[in-house]
Amino acid sequence: SRFQRGIILEEYKKDFKSALDEFNIIKTKNDTFSLLVRRHIADCYFRLQNYKAAHQMYQAYLNQPGVILSKNKDINIKMNNCDFAEANMQFKKNIQLVNIGGGVNTEAMEYFPSLSADETQIYFTRKKDNSLTTDEDIYVANLVDNKYQNASPVNGPINTEENEGAHTIAPGGKYLLFTACNRKNEFYNTNSCDLYISKLIQNTWGKPNNLGSPVNTSAWESQPSISADSKTLFFSSNRQGGYGGLDIWYTKMNEKGQFEEPINAGPMINTPWDEDKPFLHPDGQTIYFVSNGHAGFGGKDIYKTKLIGSIWLTPYNLGQPINSPDDENGIFVNAFGNKGFISAVRPEGKGN
């Protein structure tokens, strides 16, 4: 059907202009076309950066009889995004984005980048296929003459047939904290994801240990980021006690060297939607994170906030060209603050 063709063009081929043409034909042929089509028309306008038309169509959708506002709260977020993007699209920052090359990037998905302390290695997660069922593993690539060499899986018993990724390297490079999912015979991890730690012994990562309670629960814990003194650990979780969806949490290490009960980062950062992929800068005060609950350019954007005393400042959208209508999947900033690594879907990319 024409509707199905529109969906394929929009969601799989990312041809938003052709998808919009298909949906508009349905609109012209049927004055009482479905509410679902209105949403898709608005989404296509947004992706084509026609924010005024998108806002009008989202509003028209909400004004239709039969639309239950309480079940369409995401539309309010999308309308806020229209207003934000319209007001900020002309303020592109003088930032150059460079694809880091074929030693790291492939037709598969690469994301969650981080650097070793001396910046001679980049660690990242690779999903070996573009489907939703394939394996995620942690890879590493060496920097030689300013070029990343071909990446290989990290050594040691880190990667398995299940999913591993979303990692952080403790300062000094001796400890690797990472996410592992669906590991058998693990109380906290039977059907979800937990945080693990591995120690580097003679250039090989040792057997990882589950961080255990109270950091891990039967819920989803992932995406760790540790402070420069290794005593504060940020992560993302959908555990109970949050504000909705995924939230950012942190835990502090006590005098016995144990992580204490995690604390929610609070409503200045977390929203009823998803906040994840935290990155705590070595300054110990600045945190970057990803959200689809704060106003942005669409999808998930990267935000920055700073801790002043005990209060987080209002999160700041990093703007274009870092953020786009697509999803941005986190950022890593080096200790000097002059170089950052992001994972994103861009036309000039090598794959997904």
Side-chain angles (χ1 to χ4, degrees):
S1 70
R2 190 173 296 279
F3 179 75
Q4 290 173 323
R5 285 200 298 273
I7 294 295
I8 292 171
L9 288 165
E10 178 192 3
E11 297 186 1
Y12 295 97
K13 296 189 175 181
K14 307 297 182 184
D15 184 351
F16 303 108
K17 177 64 174 64
S18 298
L20 182 61
D21 292 342
E22 294 289 343
F23 293 136
N24 274 326
I25 289 174
I26 300 174
K27 174 184 175 182
T28 15
K29 287 187 175 180
N30 182 3
D31 289 337
T32 59
F33 62 97
S34 75
L35 298 176
L36 195 56
V37 172
R38 288 185 185 272
R39 289 188 59 145
H40 284 288
I41 290 175
D43 288 343
C44 288
Y45 275 133
F46 188 92
R47 295 303 298 267
L48 294 168
Q49 299 186 17
N50 188 340
Y51 300 118
K52 289 183 179 178
H55 190 287
Q56 291 171 356
M57 187 56 71
Y58 285 132
Q59 188 63 64
Y61 168 80
L62 290 180
N63 291 341
Q64 287 299 295
V67 172
I68 302 173
L69 296 181
S70 61
K71 293 184 178 181
N72 288 277
K73 292 180 180 179
D74 62 314
I75 299 299
N76 291 323
I77 291 290
K78 291 184 176 185
M79 292 171 68
N80 288 340
N81 287 345
C82 289
D83 295 338
F84 177 88
E86 179 73 24
N88 291 277
M89 64 183 297
Q90 70 268 33
F91 301 119
K92 288 193 175 181
K93 294 178 172 58
N94 186 22
I95 296 173
Q96 183 182 12
L97 296 181
V98 179
N99 189 302
I100 64 174
V104 172
N105 290 324
T106 67
E107 292 182 355
M109 296 173 67
E110 285 85 23
Y111 41 95
F112 292 123
S114 68
L115 295 179
S116 59
D118 60 6
E119 299 192 14
T120 61
Q121 292 180 311
I122 184 169
Y123 289 76
F124 62 94
T125 303
R126 175 178 288 164
K127 181 178 279 191
K128 295 179 184 176
D129 195 310
N130 288 329
S131 74
L132 297 176
T133 58
T134 48
D135 186 26
E136 292 174 297
D137 282 336
I138 301 174
Y139 281 70
V140 61
N142 295 316
L143 184 66
V144 178
D145 296 329
N146 281 332
K147 183 178 180 181
Y148 286 107
Q149 306 303 296
N150 289 336
S152 57
V154 293
N155 56 29
I158 303 297
N159 295 319
T160 69
E161 294 179 356
E162 299 295 344
N163 292 336
E164 291 80 28
H167 57 277
T168 184
I169 300 173
K174 294 297 184 183
Y175 290 93
L176 174 71
L177 291 97
F178 67 98
T179 308
C181 302
N182 304 319
R183 293 206 166 185
K184 309 303 180 188
N185 302 317
E186 292 280 5
F187 175 77
Y188 300 104
N189 196 278
T190 306
N191 294 302
S192 190
C193 299
D194 275 357
L195 302 183
Y196 285 73
I197 187 168
S198 171
K199 184 177 181 180
L200 188 66
I201 303 172
Q202 296 181 346
N203 295 321
T204 299
W205 294 109
K207 181 181 177 181
N209 293 311
N210 188 304
L211 284 185
S213 179
V215 174
N216 290 320
T217 68
S218 58
W220 185 89
E221 280 81 32
S222 183
Q223 305 158 357
S225 180
I226 198 161
S227 62
D229 62 4
S230 298
K231 292 184 178 180
T232 304
L233 178 67
F234 281 78
F235 61 96
S236 179
S237 177
N238 60 358
R239 66 207 292 149
Q240 291 185 353
Y243 289 85
L246 296 173
D247 274 8
I248 293 171
W249 298 73
Y250 66 93
T251 175
K252 290 184 175 292
M253 184 179 287
N254 59 28
E255 295 178 353
K256 297 179 179 179
Q258 300 168 333
F259 283 116
E260 297 180 331
E261 187 70 33
I263 300 169
N264 189 286
M268 188 61 76
I269 292 177
N270 293 315
T271 72
W273 304 98
D274 287 337
E275 282 70 40
D276 57 356
K277 305 174 182 70
F279 170 70
L280 181 63
H281 191 268
D283 67 9
Q285 294 179 301
T286 305
I287 188 171
Y288 297 82
F289 65 96
V290 171
S291 172
N292 60 4
H294 295 275
F297 292 95
K300 287 189 171 184
D301 277 4
I302 302 173
Y303 297 81
K304 173 183 176 181
T305 182
K306 193 168 186 177
L307 186 65
I308 304 296
S310 59
I311 299 174
W312 292 105
L313 298 181
T314 301
Y316 168 77
N317 187 298
L318 292 190
Q320 296 179 321
I322 291 177
N323 290 319
S324 73
D326 271 305
D327 286 340
E328 277 64 50
N329 288 304
I331 189 169
F332 178 93
V333 180
N334 68 353
F336 299 104
N338 63 352
K339 186 185 296 184
F341 292 79
I342 66 170
S343 173
V345 178
R346 299 293 161 92
E348 64 272 23
K350 291 182 174 293
N352 194 340

